[in-house]
Amino acid sequence: MWQGVIPAVTTKFNSDDSLDFKEMERCFHYLMDAGCDGLIACGSLGEGPLLSHAERIDVLKLTKQVTGNKPAIMTVAEAATRDACALAEKAAKAGADGLMVVPSTIYHTNHCETVATLRSIAAAGDLPIMIYSNRLAYRVDVTTDMLEELADDARFVAVKESSDDIRRTTEIINRLGNRYDLFTGVDNLAFEALTAGAKGWVAGLVVAFPHETVAIYRLIQAGRYAEALDIYRWFRPLLDLDVSTYLVQNIKLVEALVIDSNDRVRAPRLPLDGALRARVEQIVNAALASRPVLPVFN
């Protein structure tokens, strides 16, 4: 159902901390025009937990306008299952094509609680769901056993696998075949996951480098692994910025440097400064100085 490169987009703010819809529209169109296969709104990179429900729905509606007939997916990541269900219902009414669901963000649920939470959100939204498994960031691991247990509900269509264990990709495919559309959610494991059978890439640095991201994906799908690997190796220092406590600030600064956007974030985050900012600038400048020539696809 879902495949390809689906960016987890950033949320743009004006200087007064209100939503900057004009800049988001520009950035979202840039991604879709580069060949991306949908957009995911208000995830970790999109600062979703720092937005009100009303703000998230507004971002979703804009996302839907830009994606057209490609999926506009809303992230649901709440501390309480009640609030997650309420947001899922609102997203469905606002026209979301699906949900990306994090089981819990504060309390670290056990196996039974995780499964029950996911089932409750699925029932509330009644939309296709991408299960977001990220045991490092959220300390809740949606294991292969859980995926097998949830497979009886057709609303669970995809998995964003972000366990940081590349073996999990093969484990899921061996156990469940093509039951789920399997996505990699770790930028600097993308080549490894896609060559091991993942169907898609929920990407972060794509927001500044969509053409390179799409090229890697398309080359792998065409079996042109050596060409994809050359671009991926060039891309790796940038992709490493996604795996960081400062991933939001990192990637927004890259957007500011590469596509002339801005690096405003919502407090308590602050834009990078000092050595942290200088490091990102150095990585970006080095990448731009050696940016590869990309193949032309028919």
Side-chain angles (χ1 to χ4, degrees):
M1 180 175 181
W2 292 332
Q3 62 182 4
V5 175
I6 304 184
V9 294
T10 58
T11 301
K12 295 299 180 183
F13 302 105
N14 294 303
S15 57
D16 65 357
D17 199 45
S18 61
L19 296 177
D20 186 345
F21 293 104
K22 184 177 180 180
E23 179 61 2
M24 280 189 280
E25 183 176 13
R26 182 184 78 88
C27 292
F28 295 175
H29 274 297
Y30 178 57
L31 295 171
M32 298 306 296
D33 291 345
C36 292
D37 299 288
L39 299 174
I40 297 176
C42 305
S44 304
L45 182 56
E47 299 173 80
L50 303 184
L51 306 178
S52 69
H53 280 199
E55 286 178 318
R56 281 181 260 188
I57 294 303
D58 285 342
V59 174
L60 167 66
K61 289 178 178 177
L62 174 61
T63 305
K64 180 66 178 174
Q65 290 174 17
V66 174
T67 58
N69 61 358
K70 292 185 177 180
I73 300 169
M74 176 75 175
T75 306
V76 173
E78 298 289 303
T81 300
R82 175 195 63 184
D83 296 334
C85 290
L87 182 56
E89 291 176 358
K90 292 173 185 175
K93 291 177 182 177
D97 296 303
L99 306 173
M100 183 173 76
V101 178
V102 180
S104 64
T105 55
I106 302 297
Y107 173 69
H108 308 134
T109 51
N110 65 24
H111 180 116
C112 292
E113 292 168 332
T114 301
V115 169
T117 296
L118 289 167
R119 289 194 186 279
S120 294
I121 297 168
D126 196 26
L127 290 170
I129 287 177
M130 176 186 292
I131 299 169
Y132 183 10
S133 178
N134 188 334
R135 63 187 179 187
L136 297 183
Y138 301 111
R139 296 176 66 182
V140 174
D141 188 8
V142 184
T143 65
T144 307
D145 287 341
M146 294 181 195
L147 295 177
E148 187 170 24
E149 187 172 341
L150 292 165
D152 62 354
D153 188 332
R155 289 172 292 208
F156 295 112
V157 301
V159 178
K160 179 184 176 184
E161 180 10 59
S162 299
S163 70
D164 204 38
D165 182 354
I166 193 60
R167 293 170 295 188
R168 183 70 66 85
T169 298
T170 299
E171 180 183 318
I172 292 171
I173 293 170
N174 280 352
R175 178 87 68 88
L176 297 165
N178 63 357
R179 167 60 186 82
Y180 294 98
D181 294 334
L182 182 59
F183 282 71
T184 180
V186 182
D187 266 3
N188 61 5
L189 280 177
F191 180 88
E192 293 82 354
L194 290 167
T195 55
K199 292 184 177 180
W201 181 358
V202 176
L205 269 298
V206 64
V207 296
F209 292 95
H211 297 91
E212 287 83 357
T213 307
V214 169
I216 290 169
Y217 177 80
R218 291 182 178 176
L219 287 167
I220 291 173
Q221 297 308 301
R224 296 161 62 179
Y225 301 120
E227 294 171 81
L229 186 56
D230 282 344
I231 302 170
Y232 183 69
R233 286 172 174 164
W234 164 84
F235 211 177
R236 260 298 301 272
L238 289 160
L239 297 176
D240 290 346
L241 296 173
D242 182 57
V243 187
S244 166
T245 303
Y246 301 104
L247 73 97
V248 175
Q249 295 97 316
N250 286 344
I251 293 175
K252 280 194 163 181
L253 177 54
V254 176
E255 283 185 292
L257 296 170
V258 178
I259 63 168
D260 196 29
S261 189
N262 66 74
D263 64 342
R264 298 187 191 103
V265 290
R266 177 160 283 180
R269 288 188 177 94
L270 294 172
L272 297 181
D273 63 3
L276 291 172
R277 189 178 190 90
R279 175 177 173 269
V280 174
E281 290 173 344
Q282 182 179 26
I283 291 170
V284 171
N285 289 336
L288 292 177
S290 59
R291 199 168 189 172
V293 175
L294 301 178
V296 176
F297 296 94
N298 294 328

